[in-house]
Amino acid sequence: MEPGTAIAIGHVSAKVVSIIWKYYSDIKDAESNITFLANEIQDFRNVVQRVQDLLQRSSKVSVSAALGTTITQALTDINTLETKLDPGTKAKAMRRLGNRALKWPFTKKEVDEWVVRFQRFKATVNLALNTDQTSLILDVDENITQMKQYHEAIERDQRLAKLPFAADACFDSYHRQHETHCIENTRVELLQELQIWGANHQRPIYWLSGMAGTGKSTIARTLAARLKSSKTLGGSFFFSRSSGEANNAVNFVGTLAHHLANVSPLFKESICEAISLHEDVTRQGLRNQWKELIVGPLSKVRLSGRPTLSIVVDALDECGSDDDIRLLLQLFVEVKDLTSVNIGIFVTSRPEIVIRLGFEDIPEITHQKLDLRDIPRHLVEHDILVLLKREFNRIRLERKLLDWPSEHDLQSLAQRSNCLFIYAVTVCRYVNNTDWDPEERLSEILHNGHASGGDTAELDAMYMQVLSSALLNGRGEEEISRLCDRFQQVVGSIVTLFDEFSASALAELLSRPVNSVNTTLNRLHSVLNIPGDVESPIRLLHPSFHDFLLSKTRCRDERFCTDETLMHGELFSKCMGAMSTTLKRNACQLSTPGSPPQDVDKKTLDTRLPRHVQYACNYWLDHLARARPDSRVQLGLRDNGKVHVFFKKSFLHWLEAMSLLGKMSHAVLMIIQLANMLDLANNHSLRAMVEDARRFILNNRALLEEAPLQAYVSALVFSPSESLIRNCYLDQQPSWLKQHPTVERRWGNCVQMVEQKGYVSSITFSPNGKYIAAGSSKGHIQLSDAATGALHSILKGHSGQVTTTTFMHDGSLASVSNDGTLRLWEPVTGVNRCALNVDFRFSNDSQSSHDSENRTSTSLSDDPQSSSLSRSSSSSFSHETSLRTYLPLPAKPSLSVLPSGDLAILCLDGRLRIWSSEKDFLSDPIFLDIRTSHLYGCLPQGTLVIRTEGSRKDNSGRPASEGSGADESAAKLLLLDPSTRAAVERIEFGRLDTVKVVAVSSANLLALGLHDGRILLYHVVARSFIELGVHAPTVRGLAFSSNGSILISSGSDLMIRSWIVEKQVQSLIGSSLICSSLIGFRSVSWSTWLNDEHLVAPSPDSKQTVISQYNSQSIQIWDISLAATEIPPESPPAAPTMWIELSPCGKYVATKTQEDDRVIRLHNTKTMAEFIMLDHHDEILEMAFSPDDRLLASASRDDTIRLWNTSTGVAGIMLRPGPGIVAALVFSPDGKYLASGHFDGQVRIWDPVNGDLQCVFKHTGWIQGITFSVDGKQIAVVSGYHFNSSFLNLWDIGMQQLLYHTDDAWMDTAIALSHDSKNLAYQFKDGSIVIYNTEFKEQRSIVGPLYTNLEAVSSKSPNPKSRSVWRRHGEWMMEGSRKMLWLPHDWRDPKMKHYNGVFVLRKTLGFGYLDLTQGGPVPGIE
């Protein structure tokens, strides 16, 4: 309907109404009829006006057909009505007769009809209008829904883009478009069989094997194309030795996830959801990627029916790692368990041993296989003949040849092929060279005679003929020499490089004109796939040509044969040149020092770091390692050589590039490999530089993976002051960091800190030393690479804390958890081989032993011996015949591997059981007279070492009485023979806490760490003790090396020591960094450190050890071989700084150490001058600076509060508050008052000038928090019991009047007063905040995020002078919202102090300063 229709109705209806009302005024006998009709028309006009308004408001509004028809009909009727009513025809009579000539033209019945008609019009228009408006709203909703779906689709695509994707590995990629498929009437039966398999996957894995050149890839491409046409292709991955993105498994899972996501929207949604839930999965191992991106998403999808999809994997043997090949085969098996979709995997490969063995481990019911060599020879030759006929027929037609070639010639070629399709393809390409006569070329091949020498002899002869024709025939010696030299440089590089190159990239790497490269390649189309453009990669026609050129026995002409070691050396030099000329700081122009590598898109990366530079960064060391060893010095592996210069000039730029490329773990391995290559006797300067670089990269790997530019910031700032790398790049450090923290002079023995995804509860090395398994309180096991620290995989299955992890003799990993389960894992693949219940606390077995006093345990020994441990280390023995049992309390489950390969398991019920892995059988319990116990390990002869604690029972089953000689607090070690269930020996040691930790040695030794710091060695055979030494004050962790020659100890003094057992000599490994993030909590965390167990696990080669505090979120890898030879007794380690207080104006720092807790050290932040204040006679409890920095107040257990002059360090007034502990010490903002809060609930207000006591306020409980108002006239106090802040009081100091009081058991210590003192804020433990208005006596609640601290709230008054734009957020120092400086683990002080950009950071031993640019914009990148 046009808008004009509605307008016309408005005009006409208005005119009609006007006429009607004229009748009304002049005709008195029809008033009611006239009124009725006029009102209806007016109402209809109003409805139409709504339509008109709607149409005028938006040109996009349309009306329905029903509405348009109704309004058009109404216009016609109104025009008819106007004609009948218009008195115009009666105008003369009216002028002559007046109103008497005006007569109402309708009867009452006719008026009623008109009224009904207009009512119907009105109702229809209203209904249609409402319908159209509803439709419009629905259209808007639909548009919004479509927009939402569109944005969700974009988000899904963005998530998918985060996955690694190898485009060239797809069977139908652009660069593979010219690769051949099986031609018609070839491989007929095989392809039919494969299509039948693809339709049902009776066995989910199909392995097609065959030698090089037998057509495996052609079959795989053909099958993939047919599956795609039938919409049953799930994905494809074609491995290729010459492709950097397809010669390994790094991109395998991500590429398949991409393909599956494009198969179905439901698959895409499920996979993208998995990516958002596991954002770091791409940095994890293949096992986790496969689980989270393939198996998990497919398991969650619910589809109608069970659709069938096939995945095609070609040339698995060209995946670079045997470990990855084995793992992939294990992962493939898992598709059989998918119920939502029927997945099959088709695999082709050469019959390499690693693949053959891998398939032998897979049940036959799961896979089927076919070796192409098993296909009858005549069938293969038939297919090759079909191929030859088709190709030669094409050549004949293109060259306009007649009756060529003969059937006999083609038969001869098919026989010469020796069932190698690549031979036939090469012949066809050779003959079809447009520069030569095809008849002559075919004649050359046929008249050369049959070659001898093995399966590849004919193929090798074909290759020789191709090269001779291209480079030798018809040329003079000088030209041949020049062409062969160019061939060696260009083609020799192609077959030696570890990745594919385009002509332009190869020219850049070789520093040759691109035309020179193209000219060299143009005559080699028979053996190379050379694209039409210079940017597409050059590929070998077949891998056999690579093998041919590198083999002197196959390629016997030295002009063609490539000397691989020589070529690697040349390529190494080219790589070094490419990096030195291109790499620079912030090559990809990241916006901030904390920007992640993901901020750089691929286009920018490829532009800023060209293809040949990316290759050089990845492979320069591989080329050097494969160069001739005697040529490495000449190549630059020497002092001040190319490699040395590289570390001095380009090392940080290389680290940045490797981070951007996502190759940091590979970079670590490269530097480790380089360090191992260096001759220990020579190149001392280079060796020192490489070793420093190794420590630098190991220390910063995880950081640089997250933020590449931190190589120039945090990595440099926190490196030791004498680090060679640091000092080479001093000019690269940021200018906005005005004062650097004081760091160690040299690298310590802790080579790296590995962050964990949960609290660590157990650690162990794999038998080959390759992996570290760390059990978590969350129930998972994190497997990390021991060399790089990179995450390998996360094993999930337990639902409770993993208490013990240990490796079995067959390499499998055993773990036990307090969820009551034992699990066995294949660590490389992550497969959970079995799960066993070990929770027998409520079994009939336990219950019956508890209920029956007459039931006794198995006799443990006929004549067991008991050894007694005393401070003098003397031993004595006593006899005990048998033990009684009772129901023990739950115990910490633990494991130990027996020499037989079986597992000893201490179950949750506190009883020992033996599990036979071979028989999959769990023995009956071996009853122990214990309340709790711990299984420490197994001696070489199979004797188990168990800790028992608690009271014994007498013969009646009751606890032994005092007179019976039993000690209820006694503890002992029990040496138990599990085969006989006999106690070989008992070692009793009195109090429960006498022995803190025990280690078991393979040399029949036990090491006992005592509460007094002593370490005792117990010789099991001699049954005697010797004191190894003292690790003061308390030993918390012990572990022997695998051969028992070295003992590692960790103590509550933070020191880690190694002991040579035979010589009884100790060496200091270093100071642990474990509790650095806890020391800000003063005595609470310190006691946690003192009491917690330390987890210690030496590596199998005894060169490294892993240390972690129990329930820490990190593990530390220490180098034992770097330990000091001997610890001088007169050089005790430095005590950790336990408390730091920064003055309000940032001029001073006051510190207190754990060891010297009576001493305050006052440091000037500008001059570094230090005062030592010694006047207190007992532990210092509290410290506080005055607002102007002139005074420092300190409270001590000696019942005094001292005021110190900060400029001189001299003690001033001494306040005596009386007996009692001071819990809080605060100056008012104006410095007029000093408030001391005490454990007796009193707050004393002092005059800091003369020391007078002004007033005392009493509270319930001890004082937990004090805050002054800004003007110093009011004070808010929080008090309570046992850290439950239940009471809040607000006082007027001058009037000594209580202004406000509240109590709540859930109140926190966080309180704050507004600047005008009219509002008091306090916080509850759930994060909610209450604001009380002191003027109007009103309060309101603000519900904040759970456990979020109240801003600007503390137990001390905020400093209004500080205007810092800097802040700490987690591990980052932030400038506004920008990540600028990453803080290492041991510098993350939760109680960090700062003022106007000056930060005081506490670390494990000591503290440091950071002075950051303040008062102006901070440059993000320099």
Side-chain angles (χ1 to χ4, degrees), residues 50-326:
R50 289 175 55 202
V51 178
Q52 180 181 340
D53 292 342
L54 184 62
L55 291 172
Q56 289 176 344
R57 280 200 304 269
S58 175
S59 60
K60 297 180 181 180
V61 176
S62 60
V63 296
S64 65
L67 179 58
T69 301
T70 299
I71 292 181
T72 303
Q73 182 61 48
L75 178 60
T76 303
D77 286 356
I78 290 177
N79 284 328
T80 301
L81 188 60
E82 179 193 11
T83 302
K84 291 186 176 183
L85 289 174
D86 188 358
T89 56
K90 304 177 182 179
K92 293 182 179 179
M94 290 181 65
R95 283 196 298 271
R96 191 171 63 247
L97 301 175
N99 290 338
R100 288 175 298 161
L102 189 62
K103 184 178 179 181
W104 180 245
F106 302 119
T107 64
K108 183 178 185 303
K109 181 178 180 182
E110 290 173 327
V111 169
D112 290 342
E113 290 175 354
W114 279 106
V115 168
V116 169
R117 185 176 300 178
F118 280 105
Q119 286 177 339
R120 189 182 303 116
F121 284 157
K122 183 174 66 175
T124 302
V125 172
N126 272 324
L127 178 61
L129 185 61
N130 290 337
T131 301
D132 287 346
Q133 288 176 326
T134 302
S135 176
L136 181 63
I137 292 171
L138 292 175
D139 287 343
V140 172
D141 288 343
E142 184 177 353
N143 288 337
I144 293 174
T145 301
Q146 290 176 350
M147 290 178 64
K148 183 179 179 182
Q149 291 173 346
Y150 174 72
H151 287 296
E152 287 175 349
I154 292 177
E155 288 178 358
R156 285 194 289 269
D157 289 339
Q158 289 173 341
R159 291 195 190 109
L160 278 177
K162 295 179 180 179
L163 296 179
F165 180 70
D168 287 353
C170 309
F171 89 95
D172 56 354
S173 67
Y174 174 81
H175 297 302
R176 293 182 180 273
Q177 61 182 322
H178 301 301
E179 294 181 350
T180 59
H181 292 209
C182 294
I183 62 176
E184 189 176 359
N185 296 323
T186 63
R187 301 292 195 188
V188 176
E189 294 181 3
L190 174 58
L191 290 173
Q192 287 177 347
E193 178 183 332
L194 293 178
Q195 285 187 277
I196 293 172
W197 168 83
N200 55 40
H201 299 152
Q202 188 172 7
R203 298 181 185 181
I205 303 175
Y206 195 115
W207 177 34
L208 181 70
S209 67
M211 301 302 294
T214 53
K216 301 182 299 298
S217 295
T218 303
I219 295 169
R221 279 191 295 273
T222 305
L223 177 62
R226 293 187 179 185
L227 292 170
K228 184 176 181 179
S229 65
S230 63
K231 298 183 179 180
T232 58
L233 179 66
S236 64
F237 197 97
F238 280 48
F239 286 100
S240 174
R241 180 189 301 146
S242 61
S243 171
E245 63 179 18
N247 63 8
N248 55 70
V250 172
N251 302 314
F252 180 79
V253 177
T255 302
L256 290 187
H258 267 278
H259 291 168
L260 287 168
N262 292 325
V263 168
S264 162
L266 291 177
F267 287 172
K268 176 179 280 191
E269 183 178 350
S270 185
I271 290 170
C272 290
E273 181 182 353
I275 297 171
S276 63
L277 291 175
H278 310 281
E279 292 185 353
D280 63 341
V281 69
T282 57
R283 296 197 296 270
Q284 298 177 11
L286 286 173
R287 153 61 50 189
N288 278 26
Q289 290 187 37
W290 183 263
K291 177 182 178 181
E292 304 297 351
L293 297 177
I294 304 295
V295 175
L298 293 183
S299 300
K300 295 177 182 177
V301 172
R302 293 293 176 262
L303 301 169
S304 57
R306 188 170 181 253
T308 298
L309 292 175
S310 298
I311 295 171
V312 178
V313 180
D314 180 56
L316 182 61
D317 54 287
E318 297 193 30
C319 175
S321 166
D322 286 354
D323 284 342
D324 285 347
I325 291 173
R326 280 189 288 266

Side-chain angles (χ1 to χ4, degrees), residues 35-54:
T35 302
F36 201 12
L37 180 60
N39 288 338
E40 286 301 326
I41 295 175
Q42 183 64 45
D43 287 347
F44 178 68
R45 181 172 180 259
N46 292 339
V47 172
V48 175
Q49 186 66 43
R50 289 175 55 202
V51 178
Q52 180 181 340
D53 292 342
L54 184 62

Side-chain angles (χ1 to χ4, degrees), residues 877-899:
F877 304 97
S878 62
H879 178 76
E880 183 172 325
T881 57
S882 64
L883 303 174
R884 307 285 292 179
T885 85
Y886 69 101
L887 182 64
L889 297 175
K892 173 184 174 182
S894 46
L895 300 171
S896 184
V897 182
L898 298 172

Side-chain angles (χ1 to χ4, degrees), residues 1030-1280:
V1030 178
H1031 189 148
T1034 304
V1035 183
R1036 286 295 169 190
L1038 285 176
F1040 280 101
S1041 61
S1042 57
N1043 60 9
S1045 63
I1046 296 175
L1047 177 69
I1048 308 298
S1049 65
S1050 175
S1052 54
D1053 59 355
L1054 305 180
M1055 295 299 112
I1056 302 168
R1057 306 169 195 266
S1058 67
W1059 306 75
I1060 300 176
V1061 175
E1062 185 177 0
K1063 297 180 180 179
Q1064 300 181 32
V1065 174
Q1066 64 167 307
S1067 300
L1068 179 64
I1069 299 176
S1071 171
S1072 174
L1073 313 175
I1074 297 172
C1075 71
S1076 58
S1077 62
L1078 302 175
I1079 56 179
F1081 297 101
R1082 302 180 190 170
S1083 59
V1084 175
S1085 64
W1086 186 249
S1087 64
T1088 300
W1089 168 256
L1090 287 174
N1091 293 322
D1092 276 357
E1093 177 186 356
H1094 301 177
L1095 306 171
V1096 183
S1099 62
D1101 61 4
S1102 302
K1103 293 181 179 180
Q1104 291 184 321
T1105 188
V1106 178
I1107 307 286
S1108 180
Q1109 181 189 7
Y1110 192 77
N1111 277 342
S1112 169
Q1113 286 189 281
S1114 66
I1115 62 174
Q1116 301 165 31
I1117 303 177
W1118 291 78
D1119 193 329
I1120 304 175
S1121 63
L1122 299 176
T1125 56
E1126 193 170 350
I1127 302 173
E1130 65 274 13
S1131 303
T1137 301
M1138 297 305 299
W1139 193 353
I1140 291 179
E1141 194 71 34
L1142 176 66
S1143 65
C1145 299
K1147 293 170 62 177
Y1148 301 102
V1149 174
T1151 66
K1152 181 191 79 168
T1153 66
Q1154 175 71 15
E1155 185 175 280
D1156 299 326
D1157 57 12
R1158 304 178 185 185
V1159 175
I1160 299 174
R1161 286 176 167 81
L1162 188 66
H1163 311 262
N1164 187 302
T1165 59
K1166 302 300 182 185
T1167 67
M1168 298 296 121
E1170 178 183 273
F1171 295 119
I1172 299 179
M1173 304 169 182
L1174 303 171
D1175 283 7
H1176 281 298
H1177 303 296
D1178 206 336
E1179 179 187 359
I1180 296 167
L1181 301 172
E1182 291 287 330
M1183 293 188 294
F1185 282 97
S1186 64
D1188 58 6
D1189 283 11
R1190 294 183 179 180
L1191 295 176
L1192 172 65
S1194 60
S1196 168
R1197 285 185 185 272
D1198 62 10
D1199 299 334
T1200 65
I1201 298 174
R1202 288 200 172 264
L1203 295 169
W1204 309 81
N1205 185 310
T1206 54
S1207 61
T1208 64
V1210 175
I1213 298 172
M1214 181 172 64
L1215 310 178
R1216 294 188 178 276
I1221 296 176
V1222 176
L1225 202 59
V1226 183
F1227 276 96
S1228 63
D1230 57 6
K1232 184 178 178 180
Y1233 298 117
L1234 172 65
S1236 61
H1238 302 258
F1239 263 53
D1240 61 4
Q1242 297 189 45
V1243 172
R1244 293 173 170 83
I1245 308 297
W1246 307 85
D1247 184 334
V1249 176
N1250 55 34
D1252 292 342
L1253 180 63
Q1254 303 295 303
C1255 57
V1256 178
F1257 300 119
K1258 295 184 178 180
H1259 305 82
T1260 304
W1262 61 72
I1263 305 303
Q1264 298 179 10
I1266 297 175
T1267 294
F1268 276 98
S1269 61
V1270 175
D1271 59 11
K1273 295 181 179 180
Q1274 297 177 2
I1275 186 171
V1277 181
V1278 175
S1279 64

